[in-house]
Amino acid sequence: MNPIDHNRAVVATREEIEPEAEPTRSGPIGWVQKMYERHPAQVLIVVSELALIAFFSLVSPYFLDLGNISVLLLDASVYILLALGLTFVIATGGIDLTPGFGMALTGVITALVMTNVGGPMWLAITAGVIGGILAGVALGTVNGFLVAKLNMQPMVATLAMMLVAWGAALSITGTASIPLNDYRAFLELGNGKTFGLTNAIYLCILAAIVAHVLLKHTLIGRYALAMGSNEEATRLSGVNVQRWKWRVYALAGMFTGLAGVLMASRLASGKPDVGQSYEMYAIAAAVLGGASLRGGKASVFGSVVGAILIATIRNGAVHMGVSDQSQKILLGVVVLVAVYLDVRRPAQEKA
C-alpha cells in the first residue's frame, strides 16, 4: 500500500474510534451549564424561583411591588433561619422536628426575660435576646443528648421534644401572649426597614454567611458532612462522633433561638401558639436546596433559596386568592416533591 494511503486509513480509523469532543460553550449558557454540572439542585431551585416570580408577576401586578417583596422576604426570614439550622442536622443524616414550636418557646423566653429585667431599655432588650438564643441552644443540646448520647432515633426524639417545647411555651404563658409593645427598638428588627427592605433580611444575610463558613471551612461542618456520608468511617478516623453530633444539634438550636427572637420582634409579643408546621417548611427548604435526607450533602445557599421559594409560593397564593386551607395542601405537596427529589437523586447520579 502507498504510504500516503496508509496514513489516510489510519487517520480515518482513529476518527471512527475516537468521537469528536463536544465543543465547550462559552458565555452565559456555558457558565450555567458548568454550574448545573457541579450544583444541579441549586441551579434547579434558582430557576424554579425565577419561574415562580415570573408567573406570579403576570398573575398579579402588585407582586413585584417593593412593599410586597419586603413582606415576602420578611416571611422568608424565619424559614431561612430555621432551614440554616436544619442544614447541619440533615447533613449528618439526622432530622430535627423541634424548630417550629421551639421557635414559639424561644420567643416566649425572649419576651419573658425582656419584661422581667429591670434597668435601662437596652439592658432588657439585650437580656431578652440572649435569653431567647440560649433557650434555643438548650433545646438543641437536649436533642443532641437524646440522639448522640442515648442513641435514640432522631425523628422520635425530636418529635417528643417538639411536644415538650410546645407544652412548655403554653405553660409558661398560660396560653396568653406576652406583649412587647413598649420595646420599640427591639420591634425594629422584625418591623423596621432599611433601604426599603425589612431589617430581618439583613440578619438572615449575616446568619447565612456565618452558616456557610461553618459548613465549608470549620470542623463542625466538615464532620457533619463526614458523619452523614459514613458515620462508622468517620468514627474510625478518630473523630468523636458523639460529641460533634451533639454540637450540631446545639448549633441548630441556636438558629431556632434566633428565629424565635425574630418572630417575637415581628409579632411584638411572645406567642406560644406560633410555629405550627414551620419545621416541615424548613426541612423542605433544605432538601429542595440540595441537602440529602440520607446525609453527606448540604448547601447553605440552596437552603436560603429554598426558604425564599416556600415564602414565594405562600405570598403568590395569597395574591391569587387561594384560601389558607388550600395553601396548606399546596405546601404539603411541595414537601412531598422535596422528599421525592431527594429519593431520585442517587438514581440520577448512578445513571
Side-chain angles (χ1 to χ4, degrees):
M1 178 185 291
N2 189 308
I4 296 176
D5 294 335
H6 174 74
N7 290 337
R8 288 174 179 171
V10 171
V11 170
T13 304
R14 286 178 178 173
E15 289 177 351
E16 292 175 1
I17 296 175
E18 300 176 5
E20 185 178 351
E22 295 183 4
T24 303
R25 294 183 179 180
S26 58
I29 296 178
W31 181 81
V32 171
Q33 184 179 6
K34 289 180 180 178
M35 289 298 295
Y36 180 76
E37 291 172 355
R38 296 177 182 177
H39 310 286
Q42 289 74 36
V43 171
L44 285 175
I45 197 169
V46 169
V47 172
S48 299
E49 173 63 18
L50 293 175
L52 282 174
I53 291 173
F55 173 73
F56 288 131
S57 63
L58 291 174
V59 172
S60 171
Y62 305 106
F63 182 78
L64 291 180
D65 182 77
L66 184 60
N68 183 63
I69 295 299
S70 184
V71 170
L72 188 157
L73 292 176
L74 179 59
D75 289 339
S77 60
V78 174
Y79 301 147
I80 289 172
L81 292 175
L82 296 179
L84 289 176
L86 276 165
T87 298
F88 288 86
V89 174
I90 293 174
T92 68
I95 200 70
D96 186 358
L97 299 179
T98 60
F101 289 124
M103 179 182 67
L105 175 61
T106 55
V108 164
I109 296 297
T110 299
L112 186 67
V113 173
M114 199 174 296
T115 53
N116 283 278
V117 170
M121 183 74 69
W122 68 266
L123 180 61
I125 293 174
T126 302
V129 170
I130 293 174
I133 294 173
L134 289 179
V137 173
L139 179 62
T141 301
V142 174
N143 289 336
F145 174 79
L146 297 175
V147 173
K149 188 71 175 178
L150 300 186
N151 201 30
M152 295 178 66
Q153 284 291 334
M155 180 172 289
V156 176
T158 58
L159 176 62
M161 287 306 300
M162 177 186 75
L163 297 175
V164 169
W166 189 17
L170 292 169
S171 299
I172 291 171
T173 62
T175 71
S177 300
I178 302 176
L180 295 172
N181 296 317
D182 296 333
Y183 300 87
R184 298 292 180 186
F186 175 68
L187 301 185
E188 283 295 309
L189 174 63
N191 299 284
K193 293 182 180 180
T194 303
F195 303 117
L197 292 178
T198 175
N199 292 330
I201 202 64
Y202 299 108
L203 171 64
C204 290
I205 291 172
L206 179 60
I209 292 172
V210 172
H212 176 77
V213 172
L214 289 174
L215 184 65
K216 296 297 184 181
H217 304 290
T218 67
L219 289 178
I220 193 168
R222 292 170 184 171
Y223 288 164
L225 293 168
M227 285 186 287
S229 296
N230 192 323
E231 185 171 315
E232 185 61 26
T234 305
R235 181 182 289 107
L236 293 175
S237 68
V239 176
N240 190 326
V241 169
Q242 188 180 94
R243 179 188 302 167
W244 284 101
K245 189 177 289 187
W246 203 334
R247 291 174 178 175
V248 165
Y249 278 89
L251 178 64
M254 185 196 74
F255 283 107
T256 298
L258 275 174
V261 170
L262 178 58
M263 184 61 82
S265 173
R266 179 180 172 183
L267 299 177
S269 65
K271 292 178 66 66
D273 56 351
V274 300
Q276 187 175 11
S277 301
Y278 274 52
E279 66 280 350
M280 292 293 104
Y281 303 152
I283 291 170
V287 175
L288 285 170
S292 173
L293 291 171
R294 293 171 176 78
K297 288 184 180 181
S299 167
V300 168
F301 173 79
S303 296
V304 170
V305 179
I308 295 174
L309 185 140
I310 297 291
T312 301
I313 292 174
R314 295 198 67 176
N315 186 278
V318 171
H319 281 271
M320 293 179 65
V322 178
S323 66
D324 185 61
Q325 295 85 345
S326 297
Q327 286 183 42
K328 285 181 169 56
I329 295 174
L330 179 60
L331 290 168
V333 172
V334 171
V335 173
L336 289 174
V337 169
V339 175
Y340 174 74
L341 290 175
D342 179 57
V343 171
R344 290 288 297 169
R345 275 177 201 142
Q348 292 171 350
E349 290 170 1
K350 291 176 184 177

